PDB file of all heavy atoms in Angstrom:
ATOM      1  N   PHE B  58      60.005 -12.513  36.266  1.00 95.00           N
ATOM      2  CA  PHE B  58      59.503 -11.465  37.175  1.00 95.00           C
ATOM      3  C   PHE B  58      59.703 -10.058  36.624  1.00 95.00           C
ATOM      4  O   PHE B  58      59.726  -9.097  37.395  1.00 95.00           O
ATOM      5  CB  PHE B  58      60.205 -11.541  38.535  1.00 95.00           C
ATOM      6  CG  PHE B  58      59.893 -12.777  39.316  1.00 95.00           C
ATOM      7  CD1 PHE B  58      60.914 -13.589  39.786  1.00 95.00           C
ATOM      8  CD2 PHE B  58      58.577 -13.127  39.588  1.00 95.00           C
ATOM      9  CE1 PHE B  58      60.631 -14.733  40.511  1.00 95.00           C
ATOM     10  CE2 PHE B  58      58.291 -14.270  40.309  1.00 95.00           C
ATOM     11  CZ  PHE B  58      59.327 -15.085  40.779  1.00 95.00           C
ATOM     12  N   ALA B  59      59.831  -9.924  35.330  1.00 96.00           N
ATOM     13  CA  ALA B  59      60.106  -8.606  34.734  1.00 96.00           C
ATOM     14  C   ALA B  59      59.158  -7.533  35.268  1.00 96.00           C
ATOM     15  O   ALA B  59      59.524  -6.368  35.395  1.00 96.00           O
ATOM     16  CB  ALA B  59      60.027  -8.692  33.215  1.00 96.00           C
ATOM     17  N   TYR B  60      57.918  -7.946  35.613  1.00 96.00           N
ATOM     18  CA  TYR B  60      56.940  -6.957  36.079  1.00 96.00           C
ATOM     19  C   TYR B  60      57.317  -6.330  37.409  1.00 96.00           C
ATOM     20  O   TYR B  60      56.805  -5.280  37.768  1.00 96.00           O
ATOM     21  CB  TYR B  60      55.521  -7.537  36.128  1.00 96.00           C
ATOM     22  CG  TYR B  60      55.420  -8.951  36.626  1.00 96.00           C
ATOM     23  CD1 TYR B  60      55.551  -9.253  37.980  1.00 96.00           C
ATOM     24  CD2 TYR B  60      55.183  -9.989  35.732  1.00 96.00           C
ATOM     25  CE1 TYR B  60      55.436 -10.557  38.422  1.00 96.00           C
ATOM     26  CE2 TYR B  60      55.075 -11.295  36.165  1.00 96.00           C
ATOM     27  CZ  TYR B  60      55.206 -11.578  37.520  1.00 96.00           C
ATOM     28  OH  TYR B  60      55.112 -12.867  37.961  1.00 96.00           O
ATOM     29  N   TYR B  61      58.185  -6.980  38.163  1.00 96.00           N
ATOM     30  CA  TYR B  61      58.637  -6.357  39.413  1.00 96.00           C
ATOM     31  C   TYR B  61      59.549  -5.165  39.143  1.00 96.00           C
ATOM     32  O   TYR B  61      59.754  -4.322  39.992  1.00 96.00           O
ATOM     33  CB  TYR B  61      59.399  -7.360  40.277  1.00 96.00           C
ATOM     34  CG  TYR B  61      58.533  -8.418  40.940  1.00 96.00           C
ATOM     35  CD1 TYR B  61      59.027  -9.703  41.159  1.00 96.00           C
ATOM     36  CD2 TYR B  61      57.238  -8.127  41.372  1.00 96.00           C
ATOM     37  CE1 TYR B  61      58.243 -10.675  41.771  1.00 96.00           C
ATOM     38  CE2 TYR B  61      56.458  -9.091  41.984  1.00 96.00           C
ATOM     39  CZ  TYR B  61      56.967 -10.357  42.178  1.00 96.00           C
ATOM     40  OH  TYR B  61      56.191 -11.313  42.787  1.00 96.00           O
ATOM     41  N   TYR B  62      60.133  -5.135  37.963  1.00 97.00           N
ATOM     42  CA  TYR B  62      61.194  -4.153  37.700  1.00 97.00           C
ATOM     43  C   TYR B  62      60.820  -3.070  36.702  1.00 97.00           C
ATOM     44  O   TYR B  62      61.331  -1.967  36.762  1.00 97.00           O
ATOM     45  CB  TYR B  62      62.460  -4.880  37.217  1.00 97.00           C
ATOM     46  CG  TYR B  62      62.778  -6.079  38.075  1.00 97.00           C
ATOM     47  CD1 TYR B  62      63.010  -7.324  37.522  1.00 97.00           C
ATOM     48  CD2 TYR B  62      62.796  -5.964  39.473  1.00 97.00           C
ATOM     49  CE1 TYR B  62      63.263  -8.430  38.329  1.00 97.00           C
ATOM     50  CE2 TYR B  62      63.036  -7.067  40.275  1.00 97.00           C
ATOM     51  CZ  TYR B  62      63.267  -8.296  39.701  1.00 97.00           C
ATOM     52  OH  TYR B  62      63.498  -9.370  40.490  1.00 97.00           O
ATOM     53  N   LEU B  63      59.937  -3.426  35.746  1.00 98.00           N
ATOM     54  CA  LEU B  63      59.576  -2.444  34.720  1.00 98.00           C
ATOM     55  C   LEU B  63      58.188  -1.892  35.051  1.00 98.00           C
ATOM     56  O   LEU B  63      57.239  -2.657  35.259  1.00 98.00           O
ATOM     57  CB  LEU B  63      59.576  -3.106  33.341  1.00 98.00           C
ATOM     58  CG  LEU B  63      60.962  -3.602  32.906  1.00 98.00           C
ATOM     59  CD1 LEU B  63      60.851  -4.529  31.707  1.00 98.00           C
ATOM     60  CD2 LEU B  63      61.893  -2.434  32.597  1.00 98.00           C
ATOM     61  N   LYS B  64      58.101  -0.556  35.083  1.00 97.00           N
ATOM     62  CA  LYS B  64      56.845   0.044  35.542  1.00 97.00           C
ATOM     63  C   LYS B  64      55.846   0.237  34.392  1.00 97.00           C
ATOM     64  O   LYS B  64      55.355   1.336  34.161  1.00 97.00           O
ATOM     65  CB  LYS B  64      57.132   1.370  36.247  1.00 97.00           C
ATOM     66  CG  LYS B  64      57.850   1.149  37.588  1.00 97.00           C
ATOM     67  CD  LYS B  64      57.722   2.322  38.540  1.00 97.00           C
ATOM     68  CE  LYS B  64      58.588   3.477  38.156  1.00 97.00           C
ATOM     69  NZ  LYS B  64      58.736   4.505  39.167  1.00 97.00           N
TER      70      LYS B  64
END
Side-chain angles (χ1 to χ4, degrees):
Chain B
F58 293 126
Y60 40 75
Y61 287 147
Y62 314 129
L63 296 166
K64 291 201 285 193

